[in-house]
């Protein structure tokens, strides 16, 4: 039941603008997490307003399902002028030339039909000269990547220009197909 809306609602309730990502599991020490009671369960949010969320204060849960959220006050990609971002494993913008997980409007991008032309076109959209390379997989870890929706699929570009690309904002993908890439900043 816990989803991106739930994570965003909690971050907003804590004074942040949104969630960068969320995951669950034993991310601290098992014995450390066992030292706490589980006080919230079945959190379900239809949007990012905590007042509209439902939850239970009793639980039938165990600590392997403990939720971890990274919150930010940054402007989300949806409000940014460019829908594409490359983020490192800390959820921060990847440095020019470094590998990053590709995001489109706050979600990951699937590799279906993705090609060198797709990578070049997207790097150019982000202000870079071109793509250095691209790949797909769980490079930031399954638990990290599954905290995001997949928001772009079937990116097929006939040229290294976004205007030549066809794509879908619905998907038939899984996070093992998330696109990672590095862009060439060129000479500055």
């Amino acid at each position: 039941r816990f989803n991106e809306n739930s994570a965003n609602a909690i971050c907003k309730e804590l004074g942040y603008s949104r969630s960068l990502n969320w995951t669950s599991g034993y991310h601290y020490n098992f014995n450390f997490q066992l030292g706490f009671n589980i006080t919230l369960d079945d959190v379900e949010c239809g949007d990012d307003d905590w007042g509209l969320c439902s939850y239970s204060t009793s639980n039938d849960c165990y600590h392997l399902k403990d939720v971890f959220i990274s919150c930010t006050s940054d402007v989300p990609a949806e409000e940014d002028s460019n829908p594409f971002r490359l983020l490192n494993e800390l959820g921060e913008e990847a440095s020019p030339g470094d590998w990053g997980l590709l995001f489109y409007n706050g979600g990951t991008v699937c590799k279906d039909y993705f090609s060198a032309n797709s990578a070049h076109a997207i790097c150019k959209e982000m202000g870079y000269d071109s793509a250095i390379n691209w790949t797909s997989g769980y490079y930031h870890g399954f638990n990290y990547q599954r905290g995001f929706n997949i928001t772009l699929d079937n990116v097929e570009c006939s040229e290294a220009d976004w205007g030549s690309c066809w794509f879908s904002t619905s998907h038939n993908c899984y996070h093992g197909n998330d696109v990672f890439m590095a862009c060439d900043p060129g000479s500055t």
Side-chain angles (χ1 to χ4, degrees), residues 9-10 25 30 32 36-37 52 54 64 66 71 80 95 98 103 108 115 129 145 147 157 161 165:
I10 290 170
F30 172 76
F32 176 80
F36 294 91
N37 292 324
L52 301 176
S54 63
L64 181 60
D66 286 351
C71 299
D80 197 347
S95 298
D98 287 349
F103 282 81
T108 63
S115 68
D129 278 2
Q145 289 173 226
C157 303
D161 179 79
C165 301

Side-chain angles (χ1 to χ4, degrees), residues 142-165:
F142 172 75
N143 284 333
Y144 175 86
Q145 289 173 226
R146 76 175 180 163
F148 299 98
N149 291 323
I150 298 170
T151 55
L152 195 64
D153 193 7
N154 301 331
V155 180
E156 187 171 12
C157 303
S158 59
E159 300 173 22
D161 179 79
W162 186 244
S164 78
C165 301

Side-chain angles (χ1 to χ4, degrees), residues 99-114:
W99 286 89
L101 176 59
L102 180 61
F103 282 81
Y104 175 80
N105 284 337
T108 63
V109 177
C110 182
K111 75 169 186 171
D112 293 349
Y113 300 108
F114 207 88

Side-chain angles (χ1 to χ4, degrees), residues 20-98:
L20 275 175
N21 60 54
W22 69 273
T23 188
S24 62
Y26 293 123
H27 291 278
Y28 290 137
N29 175 300
F30 172 76
N31 289 326
F32 176 80
Q33 287 177 235
L34 277 178
F36 294 91
N37 292 324
I38 298 171
T39 57
L40 211 54
D41 194 8
D42 300 322
V43 177
E44 194 166 1
C45 302
D47 81 17
D48 61 3
D49 181 354
W50 181 251
L52 301 176
C53 297
S54 63
Y55 56 88
S56 172
T57 55
S58 61
N59 78 79
D60 58 355
C61 214
Y62 50 96
H63 287 287
L64 181 60
K65 294 184 176 181
D66 286 351
V67 173
F68 294 80
I69 304 174
S70 295
C71 299
T72 184
S73 292
D74 293 344
V75 176
E78 296 84 32
E79 297 173 15
D80 197 347
S81 61
N82 191 328
F84 292 106
R85 298 173 75 189
L86 285 176
L87 299 181
N88 65 23
E89 65 277 359
L90 300 175
E92 301 165 343
E93 294 288 335
S95 298
D98 287 349

